[in-house]
Amino acid sequence: MDIFRVFDSLNYLPNMLLGMEAVGAAGGVVEAAISYTGDVSDPMRQKYSLEYYLKLADELVKAGTHILCIKDMAGLLKPEASRLLVGALRDRFPDVPIHVHTHDTAGAGVAAMLACAEAGADVVDVAVDSMAGMTSQPSMGAIVACTKGTKLDTCGELLNERCVFAGIVLDKVFDYSEYWEVARGLYAPFDCTATMKSGNADVYENEIPGGQYTNLHFQAHSMGLGNKFKEVKKAYVEANKLLGDLIKVTPSSKIVGDLAQFMVQNNLGRAEVEEQADELSFPQSVVEFLQGYIGIPHGGFPEPLRSKVLKSLPRIEGRPGASLPPLDFKALEEQLRAAHDDDITPEDVMSAAMYPKVFQEFKEFTSNFGPVDCLSTRLFLDGPKIAEEFEVELERGKTLHIKALALGDLNKAGQREVFFELNGQLRSVLVKDTVAMKEMKFHPKAQKSIKGQVGAPMPGKVLEVKVEVGAKVEKGQPLCVLSAMKMETVVNSPLSGTVKAVHVVPDSSLEGDDLILEIEE
């Protein structure tokens, strides 16, 4: 790997410069990316104007980027905006390669990328036809076909009606697409077409990134908001305005999405959030953003929302990582080896350094279920059908022959006995039926008319309970931490008083408004 695309979710220059310097020091090719939002062709939208992007590009070129990238993560570039932005960048930097990345959520991606190419872009990102469109990239075949016979022809130099050097020929695109069409079927459970049937031009209003759109829909379904996704998209617009009109790409897009779902779950509009901000238990991502954990947004933080949410919480000034102590990778590796029986790779160390919770969950999963990477994609995602026989090759010369036989009845612990044959021998194992357990669960609801009853602001699992019965609490004090689909929420006390009862323990699964604890004034 030699080309590294460096971007920041807020276009915060101090964060980007650090990454660019690291790539340069390692001998890599630096591709600094400008994350694009707004519409440079709309004179009414001036926060992210053409001048803003040109000034940012100036700084990135001065810092030594080898390639300049426009990262259009939501597919907001329209043909006219493409011509304006790429044309202005080409005029200012005639010798710097320009690379454009986009998504095709609205369906105008091919037109936009053709406009970028005509305005001087050197590279545009596409996806093979069978994987293209909607929240993916524009169609490779369409771009190749539309440029055929023009100065942008992808086939290469023509001589005696044939290509004299390897280019991208339409017939080859068809063959390539056919292969990936078959592969795509294996991943049907994750396919965006399960929740999105066509392009959506409403992306020009909500500005949801292509990489987030389908994830957000799946997350909303998991939180019981699947039938309210239209409201979630509208709330996304309002949440973005509440936070000051952000550039939205990982992780800033997640922050906006978390706030949008929080608003829909709790029936809150923009005005109500602003009015009640000092009392609400916001998602942790929103709180940490306002503290400055990912950098400083263009135009600064929204006030008075920031002061109301943070109260006395600490704030980070400047580049967040500057105040972090150096990480001792050797010590981390030793800790991991002690915890996981020396079965640790360099990739594991990097994963644990960047995503400690996710890595721990992954190791627990593999410890419980073994080498699931030996299973085929379909078996891993869907499981075997009854009476289906399949083989699992653990290593060369060591193959298991398995046949699924039957499922037993649900027991009081929410488990079913699964019967199967392993190399001809009858076996059985008890497996938790998580769907059935969810249906069996009963938990009292918080009565909103009773001020001291604290309910869950959204569905999730209890990660930590911070108080116990009899404890004195102040208004705004953290009571417990919930987690749902990578979204953590700290539930704060709505009033000062004494904890009368606690109705949850760590790992409790809650629905929205489930009673967490009771406080007596």
Side-chain angles (χ1 to χ4, degrees), residues 498-516:
T498 304
V499 178
K500 179 182 174 184
V502 177
H503 296 275
V504 298
V505 295
D507 284 336
S508 296
S509 293
L510 302 177
E511 298 297 324
D513 295 325
D514 277 0
L515 184 61
I516 295 175

Side-chain angles (χ1 to χ4, degrees), residues 454 464-474 477-481 491-493 497-506 516-519:
V454 181
E464 180 184 3
V465 180
K466 293 179 173 287
V467 295
E468 56 187 26
V469 174
K472 302 288 185 184
V473 296
E474 298 296 324
Q477 180 179 329
L479 302 174
C480 77
V481 182
V491 180
N492 299 320
S493 177
T498 304
V499 178
K500 179 182 174 184
V502 177
H503 296 275
V504 298
V505 295
I516 295 175
L517 50 77
E518 297 176 66
I519 299 172

Side-chain angles (χ1 to χ4, degrees), residues 187-338:
Y187 295 87
F190 297 112
D191 202 317
C192 72
T193 56
T195 55
M196 185 177 176
K197 303 300 182 186
S198 65
N200 279 302
D202 64 0
V203 72
Y204 294 126
E205 296 296 326
N206 55 53
E207 300 179 346
I208 300 173
Q212 182 187 27
Y213 198 104
T214 48
N215 287 341
L216 189 66
H217 201 170
F218 178 73
Q219 191 178 41
H221 271 284
S222 299
M223 296 176 64
L225 300 176
N227 62 333
K228 294 184 177 180
F229 190 59
K230 185 176 181 180
E231 288 91 329
V232 171
K233 290 195 288 184
K234 288 181 178 178
Y236 194 97
V237 178
E238 295 303 301
N240 179 47
K241 291 175 181 175
L242 275 165
L243 296 173
D245 188 9
L246 301 181
I247 292 162
K248 293 166 290 297
V249 64
T250 306
S252 58
S253 54
K254 179 184 182 302
I255 293 163
V256 178
D258 287 354
L259 181 54
Q261 291 179 101
F262 171 81
M263 291 167 68
V264 174
Q265 182 73 42
N266 294 282
N267 297 310
L268 296 168
R270 181 181 171 187
E272 292 166 307
V273 172
E274 290 176 321
E275 183 182 336
Q276 303 171 32
D278 57 344
E279 298 179 356
L280 294 171
S281 296
F282 286 94
Q284 188 69 10
S285 61
V286 175
V287 177
E288 291 180 348
F289 161 71
L290 294 172
Q291 286 181 273
Y293 272 47
I294 66 169
I296 302 171
H298 176 57
F301 291 99
E303 289 290 1
L305 180 72
R306 187 190 194 199
S307 295
K308 282 185 172 183
V309 173
L310 296 186
K311 304 178 189 71
S312 60
L313 288 175
R315 306 178 187 202
I316 297 172
E317 303 299 335
R319 185 175 69 82
S323 57
L324 286 175
L327 181 63
D328 188 335
F329 286 96
K330 191 66 180 174
L332 176 59
E333 183 177 356
E334 289 173 0
Q335 290 172 18
L336 294 174
R337 289 190 181 282

Side-chain angles (χ1 to χ4, degrees), residues 12-136:
Y12 184 52
L13 201 58
N15 282 346
M16 296 186 69
L17 294 179
L18 188 75
M20 292 170 67
E21 290 167 5
V23 173
V29 176
V30 181
E31 181 176 297
I34 297 169
S35 295
Y36 178 82
T37 194
D39 184 355
V40 295
S41 65
D42 184 350
M44 301 302 292
R45 302 193 65 180
Q46 287 302 302
K47 180 170 184 178
Y48 301 103
S49 63
L50 182 60
E51 189 59 30
Y52 162 78
Y53 291 113
L54 290 176
K55 284 182 179 178
L56 181 58
D58 276 334
E59 295 295 333
L60 297 175
V61 171
K62 284 178 189 174
T65 187
H66 302 115
I67 303 170
L68 196 58
C69 176
I70 301 167
K71 182 177 173 62
D72 178 24
M73 53 280 174
L76 302 180
L77 273 173
K78 300 170 185 173
E80 181 60 20
S82 300
R83 282 186 279 269
L84 285 171
L85 181 56
V86 176
L89 289 172
R90 175 51 67 223
D91 290 343
R92 186 164 299 194
F93 310 109
D95 300 321
V96 178
I98 297 175
H99 183 174
V100 185
H101 171 86
T102 192
H103 291 256
D104 199 23
T105 308
V110 171
M113 291 306 96
L114 289 172
C116 286
E118 289 165 355
D122 299 285
V123 184
V124 298
D125 285 350
V126 295
V128 66
D129 298 9
S130 55
M131 294 282 196
M134 295 190 288
T135 56
S136 180

